[in-house]
Amino acid sequence: MQNSVLQLDPRDNVLVALTMLPKGQQVPFAGNTYTLLSDIPAKQKFVTQDLGAGDPVIMYGGLVGTASQPIRQGDLLSTRNIRHAASDFHSSTETFHWTPPDVGAWRQRTFLGYHRSDGQVGTRNYWLVIPLVFCENRNLAVLKQAFEEELGFAQPQIYRRHVAELVRLYREGKSEDIENYQFTEGELSPTAPRVFRNIDGIKFLTHEQGCGTTREDTRNLCGLLAGYIHHPNVAGATILSLGCQHAQAPTLLEEIKRRDPEFGKPLLIFEQQKMGTESAMLSKAIHDTFVGLVEADQAVRAPAPLAHLCVGLKCGGSDGFSGISANPAIGHVADILAALGGRGILSEFPELCGVEQNLITRSTRQEVGDRFMHLMRDYAARAKAVHAGFEMNPSPGNVRDGLLTDAMKSAGAAKKGGRSPVTGVLDYPEYSSEPGLNLLCTPGSDVECVSAQVGAGANVVLFTTGLGTPTGNPIAPVLKLSTNSELARRMPDIIDIDTGPIIAGETSIEKMGENILQCVIQVASGEVHTKAEILRQDDFIPWKRGVSL
């Protein structure tokens, strides 16, 4: 029989409700019986002892808040009676010992990827078209329409047909029919046949930066775009520049060289102010890009060891089950890949508040831990400078579904990083190269974080969610994992994997992690496309540093 509550660590003074528990119910656990003084919704918590104002609230074995008023045993934790608090952190000289999981079954496994000349292996084969400044977004839209429709990459126009049918009824004066009209997808209009067999698509990365921002943001934008161009999922790129903006082509080239001194991919740069008319630039861009696509189509998939996987570890729309099911499950995936020589990227620094000491202690070298400390403190200071703070990170949806403080949210979010040593710490928008678990400074904001993880080299992203989010990425497949089965049933068009069976006691974290890795291999090989890919959820937002949490 499934337990109704869960204790995450023997030191905790709260229990998590796995199902709705009514007021007055007596809940037996570990030799004690607790009488509930409030209704305890699933994912919420109640305290196991009387707490006075200022007393610590402990979850996952660590401090996640303090009582803001007296709380009686069996009462619901809520924003009315708990406030954010987190443990401090410091440099560590402890020796960290880690026992890797048994990876014998995975050591000889491979995925089918695109092998690049720099040694990286891609899970997709895309051509990029990127503006250096927002002034070129309209020109990108022109190229997007022309290329996607003629190359067979355009989506079927389902909703356009819906509008067309309503227009027809309106013109015929059938207002009653409009009121009662029910659209069904029916037969999809055929799209143009694919021209290039080995190209997964041509992607257009619009953004609102490149000029009028700080020089730091401009440099970071060029660094992020350089990461995408250097990415193993990219065969080549077309760059549109106005000419007078802050984000200059030489800066982009400099950032590319920092990531790959021997960079040799096709890179086409067009500057509108030099070329004169818009039509002259776009005609030249179309011609040269098509020639580049012909070259990119020569790439074919070939077997590659799992050590060539770099997995972004992300949570968004989190709930009270995130740190119990989906997050530790992908943490186990990260541990397996670390043991195989692959890479994992754990980000969202505002959601590592309170678990810093654990990550510092796990660092393989003191300079790694010290850099993490510096970046965390710098980020916190920047947030305070704009009258914000990490304690403001949880969203209304997070709070409603059980994540009451940033430290509570962080304790569960950190589970995505598993237990392996921290081998590298990256500042945004640096590129990862160190095998093992890498920490990347990003905000918790979903799209900004995923955009940064892919810019740092993630060729697959594992994205856990308890509330549901469609987040995807233009060039890297994003696998969406629900923390609970109800979400998977309610939003099947965006969820790839349901980890709810962990909550139901039907499977273990380790077994679920192995199932997830098997799915990652299929996705990386192009045998399976994620729901975000099918929906063309090509989200891309560069981080304006110090503005987003």
Side-chain angles (χ1 to χ4, degrees), residues 53-206:
D55 284 350
V57 178
I58 307 297
M59 275 185 65
Y60 297 96
L63 179 67
V64 298
T66 57
S68 58
Q69 62 186 49
I71 312 175
R72 295 171 60 194
Q73 182 191 77
D75 213 348
L76 173 72
L77 270 182
S78 72
T79 53
R80 296 189 304 274
N81 56 27
I82 185 177
R83 65 167 64 94
H84 168 81
S87 299
D88 198 8
F89 54 94
H90 52 79
S91 184
S92 175
T93 56
E94 293 183 39
T95 301
F96 177 68
H97 298 284
W98 177 56
T99 302
D102 182 4
V103 294
W106 303 99
R107 199 168 294 282
Q108 301 304 317
R109 292 290 303 275
T110 61
F111 70 97
L112 295 175
Y114 293 98
H115 293 248
R116 306 301 183 187
S117 61
D118 60 5
Q120 297 188 100
V121 180
T123 61
R124 297 290 184 268
N125 189 34
Y126 288 117
W127 187 279
L128 281 185
V129 184
I130 307 175
L132 278 180
V133 63
F134 56 82
C135 307
E136 293 296 327
N137 282 345
R138 191 183 67 80
N139 287 330
L140 242 74
V142 172
L143 294 179
K144 177 180 173 69
Q145 182 180 29
F147 272 113
E148 286 192 340
E149 291 184 3
E150 295 302 323
L151 297 182
F153 295 125
Q155 283 183 290
Q157 296 296 315
I158 300 172
Y159 301 111
R160 183 174 175 179
R161 290 196 298 106
H162 188 173
V163 174
E165 184 63 16
L166 291 172
V167 169
R168 182 187 67 79
L169 293 172
Y170 174 76
R171 285 175 171 167
E172 294 174 0
K174 298 178 179 178
S175 57
E176 185 175 332
D177 289 348
I178 292 175
E179 292 293 330
N180 298 322
Y181 179 70
Q182 295 290 326
F183 177 75
T184 55
E185 291 185 11
E187 290 290 327
L188 295 180
S189 301
T191 57
R194 291 276 290 269
V195 174
F196 298 113
R197 181 178 179 182
N198 297 318
I199 296 177
D200 291 293
I202 179 168
K203 296 295 185 175
F204 301 81
L205 273 58
T206 58

Side-chain angles (χ1 to χ4, degrees), residues 249-471:
T251 306
L252 175 66
L253 294 173
E254 180 183 325
E255 290 294 331
I256 291 173
K257 289 295 185 183
R258 289 179 64 180
R259 288 153 179 79
D260 182 7
E262 305 299 323
F263 180 78
K265 292 179 184 178
L267 183 63
L268 314 174
I269 301 177
F270 304 93
E271 189 168 301
Q272 188 171 353
Q273 289 172 344
K274 284 184 178 178
M275 300 189 70
T277 66
E278 177 185 293
S279 62
M281 180 182 73
L282 293 183
S283 295
K284 179 65 171 169
I286 288 171
H287 176 273
D288 292 0
T289 298
F290 190 87
V291 172
L293 289 166
V294 171
E295 178 182 342
D297 193 45
Q298 303 307 306
V300 293
R301 291 183 180 272
L306 300 189
H308 285 285
L309 288 174
C310 179
V311 176
L313 307 163
K314 176 73 178 83
C315 57
S318 301
D319 69 353
F321 287 161
S322 293
I324 303 172
S325 58
N327 286 359
I330 68 172
H332 186 60
V333 175
D335 285 346
I336 293 174
L337 289 178
L340 292 171
R343 285 175 288 156
I345 300 178
L346 179 65
S347 308
E348 305 175 273
F349 274 27
E351 297 174 24
L352 298 178
C353 178
V355 297
E356 297 97 336
Q357 194 58 58
N358 173 265
L359 293 169
I360 293 167
T361 301
R362 286 165 56 184
S363 297
T364 53
R365 305 183 306 280
Q366 183 169 340
E367 57 266 30
V368 172
D370 287 350
R371 191 177 196 212
F372 175 56
M373 281 198 307
H374 167 74
L375 290 174
M376 283 293 289
R377 287 174 174 154
D378 178 70
Y379 198 154
R382 286 174 180 251
K384 291 295 184 185
V386 294
H387 309 289
F390 288 173
E391 69 277 4
M392 300 170 68
N393 176 270
S395 70
N398 294 151
V399 173
R400 185 179 62 247
D401 275 62
L403 301 176
L404 305 177
T405 70
D406 186 54
M408 185 182 293
K409 184 179 180 181
S410 296
K415 296 296 181 181
K416 302 191 302 290
R419 299 184 176 90
S420 66
V422 175
T423 58
V425 174
L426 308 169
D427 196 4
Y428 174 82
E430 293 174 344
Y431 202 87
S432 66
S433 59
E434 193 76 32
L437 182 63
N438 287 253
L439 307 181
L440 171 66
C441 183
T442 76
S445 173
D446 291 348
V447 178
E448 289 172 309
C449 177
V450 173
S451 297
Q453 289 183 330
V454 175
N459 52 16
V460 176
V461 176
L462 295 177
F463 191 119
T464 73
T465 181
L467 306 178
T469 170
T471 304

